[in-house]
Amino acid sequence: MVRRRHLHTQGRTVVGIDDEVFDLERLSDGDRRTLVGEAALMAALRRGRTGRMGEVVATIQTEQDRVIRAGLPGALVVQGGPGTGKTVAALHRAAFLLYTHRAVLERRGVLVVGPNALFSRYIAQVLPSLGESDVVLSSVGELYPGVRATAADAPPAAVVKGDLRMAEVVAAALRDRQRVPAGDLEVSIVVRTSVRGGVEVVVERMALRVEHAVCAAARERARASRHPHNVARRLFLLDMLTALALDEAAQLDRPMDEEDVRYARKVLWAQPSVREALDALWPPLTPQRLISDLFADAGAMASAAPGLSPDERQTLLRPYGGPWTVGDVPLLDEAAELLGEDEDDSDTGTARQAAEQEREAEERYALGVLEFTGLLEDQMMEATALAGRHAAPAPATTTAQRARADRRWAYGHVIVDEAQELSAMAWRTVMRRIPSRSLTVVGDIAQTGSAAGARSWGEMLDRYVGGRWREERLTVNYRTPVEIMKVAADVLAAVAPDRRPPESVRDGGTPPRAVSLDPDVPGALTALVAGELAEIGEGRLAVITPDARHRRIAALFPGLDDILDSPVAVLTVTASKGLEFDAVVVVEPGEILVQTPMGGRDLYVALTRATRRLTVTHRGDPPGMLARLVRH
């Protein structure tokens, strides 16, 4: 096989074509001219195989091959600037590992973590084309089952939520929910009721008491078990219900043996007043409830987070019930780890009990059928076998489906793309999912846009792999034209002079330009975009905007239901991470520069999304670092 062409469809409409070439040398010149996608870029570079360009192609192949074929154990960092093909190499690596280590990875699966849900959809098109569809794709905002967070925190809140101190805050908030009464615990229980006029009324009550010291001892015993909160709660309830039962027996002057105590505990637990009193001391909690309560209560926040400054605590407060943010997901995961799950009280336990009851009902029905037909007397079949034969088959699930639904799933390998954006708390969440520490970490420190993101790979990885990670560098940018990359390199030199951009080797032909334009003037931006679309033909265009302008500018281009398949996408810089377009229009670069503490790196990212044409629009003078742009 020389070439394989992949058709991407939406319904019965072809929305994308991508070529995968296995032997470029065997393609005719005519076939090479029809190549699209990644293969077309590589073919263009190979047209002049002598001299410098031949060395460039060999460098690209050698660098990417080292990434793809690196061993499974340990942590591999793939450091590569814009246009170096690091994502493509990482996904080919996923396919290579799944093929080479099938026995391990087919059972445990591979997790690919991207910067956002849009990026996950973008790369989802690549893995099936590599013959590997049984992989879990997720953003950080989707790592906690049942939550799909897309909203970003403001930079001050993102920094605090991403700090490892938040692990201590969550733990302290949980301990604060494990309470004892200020004095003795007193609970009024119903002793006798009567029906009067068809209504049940309470005739007699009894006040039960548990001494403060007994309550404190029950709490300490539960904590000393080192079980998660919801599991240790059972020990606390056991001790407290026993104490209440003994007080009831003492008041009634009634001796109790062990069996009597067990029965009394059940009767007391059925009393609403007892449940309410004990739930107030050691409540059953979900991660969502613990974090929501913490963020909505200034007093609880002050108690749990004395190590945070007043300003830091204030940035975390918000009304109860607000939408989850991406920065909340690692906190939910942390809470879930501390809370555990009491399967008798959980949805899982309830589902298991329901399934058991259904199975017993089916067996009773099968037993009736056997008795009616006389097969039971002949001992030709058992009720269990008959019920099993006619039971509905369980739906088949893949490794990926099981892994996605299970927060505690341990993957065989994890690939983190745009990894420089992950906070320290997000790394903590990822590492829980890969106890073997078999990782591929893909990114570019120079492109860090999150205020809570990485300043160096060692800062994030050393605490987990103890300096035993290795780095491969991709140095050739074969996707971004030289003319565009020179502009971007000036920005990088101004905002991160210690970082070097990759070497660009493609000539674009069209110089990047700066256009004086007010995006608030009706029709001005849409006319510019229409002109750019005409220039690129069937290609795709992105309008990259400051965060504050995104909603208004997106409204200028109605009907763009699917960002990945529409000819025009309107994106913030964060949403454009890892994506690329034939043409890019960057709106108001000065506003992008100042919108976050990492605004300069955001501008670097925005400029390098283009593979053919770049236009920057501005109202006043553009930033001085964009001096290379041709003025229009």
Side-chain angles (χ1 to χ4, degrees):
M1 183 181 290
V2 176
R3 172 173 66 173
R4 178 166 60 182
R5 171 158 286 181
H6 303 281
L7 304 180
H8 304 288
T9 63
Q10 192 172 47
R12 298 182 61 83
T13 303
V14 176
V15 296
I17 300 174
D18 197 25
D19 284 328
E20 186 178 0
V21 175
F22 300 101
D23 190 346
L24 192 59
E25 299 305 315
R26 291 173 59 190
L27 286 178
S28 66
D29 289 341
D31 287 337
R32 292 188 187 194
R33 284 193 293 271
T34 65
L35 290 174
V36 293
E38 183 86 5
L41 285 173
M42 295 302 295
L45 291 178
R46 285 200 187 188
R47 287 192 188 117
R49 286 217 55 169
T50 59
R52 172 66 182 139
M53 199 52 68
E55 295 174 4
V56 166
V57 172
T59 299
I60 295 170
Q61 289 179 323
T62 300
E63 290 180 344
Q64 292 195 355
D65 194 61
R66 283 202 303 266
V67 170
I68 293 167
R69 297 179 183 275
L72 178 64
L76 172 68
V77 172
V78 182
Q79 165 66 40
T84 55
K86 55 186 179 293
T87 296
V88 171
L91 297 179
H92 277 83
R93 171 166 169 73
F96 173 79
L97 292 176
L98 281 162
Y99 177 79
T100 308
H101 303 278
R102 175 67 63 183
V104 174
L105 298 183
E106 189 175 47
R107 186 173 66 254
R108 302 310 312 169
V110 172
L111 170 65
V112 179
V113 181
N116 51 57
L118 180 62
F119 183 79
S120 295
R121 284 185 53 216
Y122 179 68
I123 62 175
Q125 299 174 350
V126 178
L127 278 167
S129 74
L130 299 176
E132 301 297 346
S133 58
D134 203 16
V135 174
V136 175
L137 302 175
S138 177
S139 64
V140 172
E142 299 167 305
L143 283 176
Y144 185 82
V147 172
R148 186 183 177 89
T150 57
D153 290 293
V159 170
V160 179
K161 289 182 181 180
D163 195 301
L164 286 177
R165 290 178 297 168
M166 286 303 297
E168 300 171 7
V169 172
V170 174
L174 182 56
R175 287 180 68 86
D176 285 346
R177 303 297 290 270
Q178 299 165 357
R179 304 175 178 127
V180 293
D184 296 342
L185 174 68
E186 295 186 3
V187 183
S188 174
I189 66 169
V190 176
V191 176
R192 191 159 55 92
T193 63
S194 176
V195 177
R196 298 175 182 174
V199 178
E200 186 178 26
V201 296
V202 176
V203 175
E204 183 180 355
R205 289 182 177 273
M206 174 185 288
L208 301 182
R209 181 189 302 271
V210 180
E211 292 181 357
H212 174 81
V214 174
C215 297
R219 181 177 68 174
E220 291 314 307
R221 188 171 93 91
R223 284 177 171 176
S225 73
R226 297 193 174 275
H227 290 312
H229 172 91
N230 287 328
V231 179
R233 165 180 150 87
R234 301 186 71 180
L235 291 175
F236 178 77
L237 294 179
L238 182 67
D239 286 352
M240 294 298 293
L241 288 169
T242 298
L244 289 169
L246 292 176
D247 184 62
E248 181 184 20
Q251 291 189 49
L252 297 175
D253 195 21
R254 186 169 60 198
M256 282 186 132
D257 59 21
E258 189 173 334
E259 186 174 343
D260 292 332
V261 171
R262 282 198 298 269
Y263 177 75
R265 285 198 298 254
K266 290 182 180 179
V267 173
L268 286 169
W269 186 239
Q271 294 257 2
S273 59
V274 172
R275 276 184 177 261
E276 183 179 347
L278 297 186
D279 282 348
L281 297 179
W282 193 298
L285 291 171
T286 64
Q288 289 91 330
R289 181 181 168 190
L290 178 65
I291 299 302
S292 293
D293 288 350
L294 176 64
F295 286 171
D297 187 335
M301 180 67 72
S303 175
L308 300 183
S309 70
D311 287 344
E312 288 176 322
R313 292 196 293 267
Q314 186 62 39
T315 65
L316 298 178
L317 294 175
R318 68 184 184 211
Y320 190 90
W324 296 113
T325 67
V326 174
D328 293 333
V329 169
L331 306 183
L332 291 170
D333 198 66
E334 188 73 25
E337 197 74 8
L338 297 172
L339 288 170
E341 192 174 88
D342 182 352
E343 294 195 349
D344 287 347
D345 291 339
S346 68
D347 292 340
T348 302
T350 302
R352 186 182 295 111
Q353 292 172 6
E356 182 65 20
Q357 291 170 359
E358 183 178 355
R359 184 188 62 78
E360 291 174 355
E362 289 172 350
E363 289 187 8
R364 285 194 299 270
Y365 179 79
L367 182 62
V369 171
L370 292 176
E371 290 175 341
F372 179 77
T373 58
L375 293 175
L376 184 63
E377 293 181 3
D378 296 339
Q379 297 183 344
M380 296 183 63
M381 182 174 289
E382 294 182 352
T384 302
L386 180 61
R389 179 178 294 183
H390 292 278
T397 57
T398 65
T399 297
Q401 289 170 329
R402 294 194 302 275
R404 182 181 291 280
D406 187 352
R407 189 194 68 82
R408 294 171 293 184
W409 189 272
Y411 289 90
H413 191 76
V414 171
I415 295 174
V416 186
D417 206 348
E418 299 294 332
Q420 73 277 355
E421 301 304 321
L422 270 64
S423 70
M425 284 299 293
W427 276 112
R428 191 172 167 94
T429 300
V430 168
M431 290 299 183
R432 284 197 188 100
R433 286 147 177 80
I434 186 69
S436 68
R437 301 296 188 255
S438 176
L439 290 152
T440 302
V441 178
V442 184
D444 179 17
I445 295 296
Q447 295 186 65
T448 301
S450 169
R455 272 51 175 184
S456 71
W457 295 123
E459 173 193 10
M460 295 300 182
L461 297 177
D462 281 347
R463 65 174 54 91
Y464 302 106
V465 293
R468 297 187 305 276
W469 52 274
R470 59 200 189 278
E471 183 178 56
E472 293 287 353
R473 289 182 171 268
L474 303 181
T475 61
V476 179
N477 180 342
Y478 60 94
R479 307 184 71 83
T480 311
V482 171
E483 298 86 350
I484 295 176
M485 200 60 210
K486 286 181 178 178
V487 176
D490 289 344
V491 172
L492 186 63
V495 301
D498 58 324
R499 297 291 168 184
R500 293 186 58 187
E503 179 186 6
S504 188
V505 294
R506 278 184 60 225
D507 292 322
T510 304
R513 59 180 182 151
V515 176
S516 179
L517 180 148
D518 186 344
D520 295 326
V521 172
L525 185 58
T526 53
L528 175 69
V529 168
E532 286 295 291
L533 285 173
E535 290 291 337
I536 62 175
E538 295 184 357
R540 299 184 62 243
L541 179 147
V543 181
I544 300 180
T545 75
D547 294 347
R549 290 182 175 271
H550 178 258
R551 188 183 296 273
R552 295 202 305 275
I553 291 178
L556 300 175
F557 301 90
L560 305 181
D561 298 326
D562 194 322
I563 291 176
L564 291 181
D565 295 328
S566 299
V568 177
V570 181
L571 305 169
T572 63
V573 177
T574 299
S576 74
K577 289 269 183 178
L579 307 180
E580 54 187 32
F581 301 86
D582 297 278
V584 169
V585 176
V586 178
V587 177
E588 295 298 342
E591 294 180 18
I592 292 175
L593 273 174
V594 299
Q595 69 183 6
T596 74
M598 310 297 281
R601 298 184 188 227
D602 281 346
L603 181 57
Y604 176 65
V605 170
L607 297 173
T608 54
R609 300 307 92 199
T611 62
R612 290 168 58 188
R613 295 174 63 88
L614 172 66
T615 302
V616 175
T617 73
H618 56 94
R619 285 177 300 177
D621 292 330
M625 61 185 71
L626 299 179
R628 287 182 188 268
L629 292 172
V630 176
R631 300 288 189 96
H632 283 260

